[in-house]
């Protein structure tokens, strides 16, 4: 006799939403996007199993927990340079004021003209408190918390300040350039400007995955660094192809270095930490916010000479990156089949602003070459025109777009 299912393990929508601490509307949106998979749908409603809800709750926890209490790895990171100390100070002010770097940036620059912002702020607590209008006790507590959060970074992590020789020159020329980059892995990749971002939908179509594999392989074989955001779908596919073939790749994440989102990509993020480079613009002391993810698109496009949108629906985060890239004067490419998709309108808008339509992966390299992003050399000619890099016959549509969203 079959064992009856334990009813306590199943939840209807209202119960599932309460379990996750979100609204029913938010739950329905996550379900429709495929980010929460229901156990069953029937005339009585949608039913969720507790295992799926626990998986999603684990991911959602990064938006509600304090990093140094829940996500720290105890990496024994030492605050032993002026750059590291200044990063802690800036983070302390942001935590105390509950504000973004952009909001405090100007005032922080003003303060740097008055006193040395690379010395521990607690040594001149009254001056810092007075300048920013923060109660001394609150600023002291924020400093203590921030320092603890930084110490949870891995001991070999690095913090790169804008203006230093190690700071990527492409990014430094943009308005989106953060004061500090938190990096884990091979930081020498930051010195190479031959970078192309591959971005697109989380819920990528099979065609989108296939074509991303082809394009990433072609870029990697021609010595171009593959940049992406480690989201599901297109992003993680681009990184995976790079890792599997020994190509260079940079992941620009929307959390701090000690957090992994989505959790299902933790393994590949670990591999990039070892064989590539992971970059975050976010202090380890800041609680992760949802707006961090579109904000990191500005840094991702700033790091990249060009952005290729592999697939994107009307609400895709990839469009935010395209907007940043065009404002930064960078090349934006997308496939012909997206233009032919009558269910979306953004391609026409981007074309009016200078985005370029391509028909084959080979044409991407040709466009990069024409823009002096990719420079041909004798030993690369065979790779550039290798027929293995072409997904379909010349002149045929290469990609299929969808209407999925990206983090």
């Amino acid at each position: 006799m079959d064992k009856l299912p334990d009813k306590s393990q199943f939840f209807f929508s209202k119960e599932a939403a309460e379990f996750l601490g979100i609204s029913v509307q938010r739950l329905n949106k996550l379900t429709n996007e495929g980010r929460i998979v229901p156990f069953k749908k029937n005339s009585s409603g949608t039913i969720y199993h507790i295992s799926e809800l626990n998986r999603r709750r684990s991911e959602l926890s990064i938006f509600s927990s304090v990093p140094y209490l829940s996500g720290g790895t105890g990496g024994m990171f030492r605050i032993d340079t002026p750059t590291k100390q200044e990063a802690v100070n800036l983070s302390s002010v942001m935590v105390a004021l509950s504000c973004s770097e952009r909001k405090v940036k100007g005032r922080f620059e003003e303060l740097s003209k008055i006193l040395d912002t690379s010395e521990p702020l607690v040594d001149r607590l009254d001056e810092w408190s007075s300048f920013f209008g923060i109660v001394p006790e609150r600023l002291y507590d924020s400093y203590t918390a921030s320092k603890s959060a930084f110490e949870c970074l891995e001991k070999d992590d690095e913090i790169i300040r804008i203006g230093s020789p190690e700071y990527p020159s492409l990014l430094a020329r943009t308005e989106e350039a953060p004061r500090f980059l938190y990096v884990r892995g091979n930081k020498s990749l930051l010195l190479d400007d031959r970078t192309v971002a591959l971005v697109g939908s989380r819920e990528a179509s099979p065609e989108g995955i296939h074509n991303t594999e082809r394009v990433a392989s072609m870029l990697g074989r021609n010595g171009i660094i593959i940049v992406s955001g480690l989201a599901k779908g297109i992003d993680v596919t681009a990184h995976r192809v790079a890792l599997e073939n020994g190509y260079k790749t940079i992941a620009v994440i929307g959390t701090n270095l000690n957090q992994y989102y989505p959790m299902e990509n933790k393994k590949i993020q670990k591999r990039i930490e070892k064989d590539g480079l992971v970059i975050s613009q976010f202090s380890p002391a800041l609680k992760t916010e949802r707006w961090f993810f579109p904000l990191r698109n500005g840094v991702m496009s700033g790091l990249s000479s060009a952005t290729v949108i592999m697939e994107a629906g009307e609400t895709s985060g990839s469009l935010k990156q395209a907007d940043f890239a065009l404002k930064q004067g960078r090349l934006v490419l997308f496939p012909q089949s997206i233009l032919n998709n009558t269910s979306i309108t953004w391609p026409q808008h981007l074309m009016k602003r200078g985005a370029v339509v391509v028909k084959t992966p080979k044409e991407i390299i040709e466009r990069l070459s024409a823009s002096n992003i990719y420079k041909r050399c004798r030993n690369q000619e065979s790779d550039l025109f290798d027929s293995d890099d072409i997904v379909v016959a010349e002149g045929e549509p290469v990609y299929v777009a969808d209407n999925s969203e990206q983090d």
Side-chain angles (χ1 to χ4, degrees), residues 16-42:
E18 291 175 352
F19 182 84
L20 293 174
I22 59 178
S23 67
V24 173
Q25 291 77 10
R26 175 67 177 161
L27 174 65
N28 291 337
K29 187 173 188 295
L30 293 172
T31 301
N32 292 334
E33 292 171 352
R35 297 164 70 182
I36 297 181
V37 181
F39 179 78
K40 182 185 295 185
K41 284 187 176 182
N42 55 36

Side-chain angles (χ1 to χ4, degrees), residues 21-172:
I22 59 178
S23 67
V24 173
Q25 291 77 10
R26 175 67 177 161
L27 174 65
N28 291 337
K29 187 173 188 295
L30 293 172
T31 301
N32 292 334
E33 292 171 352
R35 297 164 70 182
I36 297 181
V37 181
F39 179 78
K40 182 185 295 185
K41 284 187 176 182
N42 55 36
S43 58
S44 300
T46 304
I47 302 173
Y48 300 85
H49 191 268
I50 192 171
S51 60
E52 176 68 8
L53 298 180
N54 279 328
R55 179 193 68 79
R56 184 59 189 171
R57 187 159 69 171
S58 176
E59 286 191 355
L60 290 172
S61 66
I62 71 165
F63 299 107
S64 59
S65 58
V66 180
Y68 57 89
L69 292 180
S70 63
T73 60
M76 298 179 65
F77 185 79
R78 297 182 62 185
I79 304 168
D80 54 4
T81 68
T83 293
K84 293 176 182 179
Q85 184 59 63
E86 187 180 58
V88 173
N89 291 343
L90 175 59
S91 178
S92 302
V93 173
M94 291 168 63
V95 170
L97 294 175
S98 299
C99 70
S100 66
E101 179 181 340
R102 181 179 291 274
K103 289 185 177 181
V104 77
K105 180 180 179 180
R107 292 287 288 165
F108 197 85
E109 288 289 350
E110 291 177 23
L111 181 63
S112 67
K113 299 174 184 178
I114 302 172
L115 53 81
D116 187 351
T117 54
S118 66
E119 295 181 348
L121 69 79
V122 289
D123 292 347
R124 305 182 72 169
L125 184 62
D126 290 340
E127 293 172 82
W128 280 76
S129 300
S130 176
F131 186 85
F132 286 104
I134 306 171
V135 175
E137 291 78 11
R138 179 177 177 80
L139 184 57
Y140 180 85
D141 289 343
S142 297
Y143 177 82
T144 302
S146 294
K147 188 170 181 290
S148 296
F150 275 71
E151 289 170 347
C152 286
L153 291 170
E154 298 291 342
K155 65 178 181 179
D156 294 326
D157 291 344
E158 297 195 43
I159 303 175
I160 300 175
R161 188 186 187 279
I162 192 168
S164 76
E166 297 173 315
Y167 199 95
S169 58
L170 276 175
L171 178 60

Side-chain angles (χ1 to χ4, degrees), residues 229 231 235 252-254 281-282 292-300 407:
D235 290 25
V252 185
I253 61 176
Q281 70 203 85
F282 305 109
F292 281 12
F293 293 90
L295 193 63
R296 65 91 189 267
N297 285 107
V299 171
M300 199 194 313
D407 271 328

Side-chain angles (χ1 to χ4, degrees), residues 295-403:
L295 193 63
R296 65 91 189 267
N297 285 107
V299 171
M300 199 194 313
S301 64
L303 279 169
S304 306
S305 297
T307 287
V308 183
I309 305 175
M310 300 300 299
E311 286 189 324
E314 290 286 68
T315 59
S316 174
S318 304
L319 303 185
K320 184 66 176 176
Q321 173 141 343
D323 182 61
F324 278 123
L326 290 169
K327 288 178 180 177
Q328 293 164 350
R330 307 292 161 79
L331 183 63
V332 174
L333 305 166
F334 63 86
Q336 175 70 44
S337 61
I338 289 182
L339 184 62
N340 297 338
N341 187 340
T342 58
S343 67
I344 53 178
T345 61
W346 63 260
Q348 290 80 6
H349 297 304
L350 288 189
M351 286 180 65
K352 290 178 181 178
R353 296 176 58 195
V356 177
V357 178
V358 293
K359 294 181 179 179
T360 66
K362 183 176 72 173
E363 191 176 344
I364 295 173
I365 286 289
E366 292 170 343
R367 290 284 182 173
L368 296 176
S369 180
S371 301
N372 292 321
I373 295 169
Y374 171 84
K375 298 183 185 299
R376 300 180 188 177
C377 49
R378 291 180 182 176
N379 63 352
Q380 292 172 323
E381 285 290 335
S382 60
D383 278 346
L384 178 58
F385 295 105
D386 190 333
S387 61
D388 288 344
D389 286 331
I390 302 173
V391 178
V392 296
E394 191 76 52
E396 293 182 16
V398 182
Y399 311 95
V400 176
D402 75 348
N403 289 311

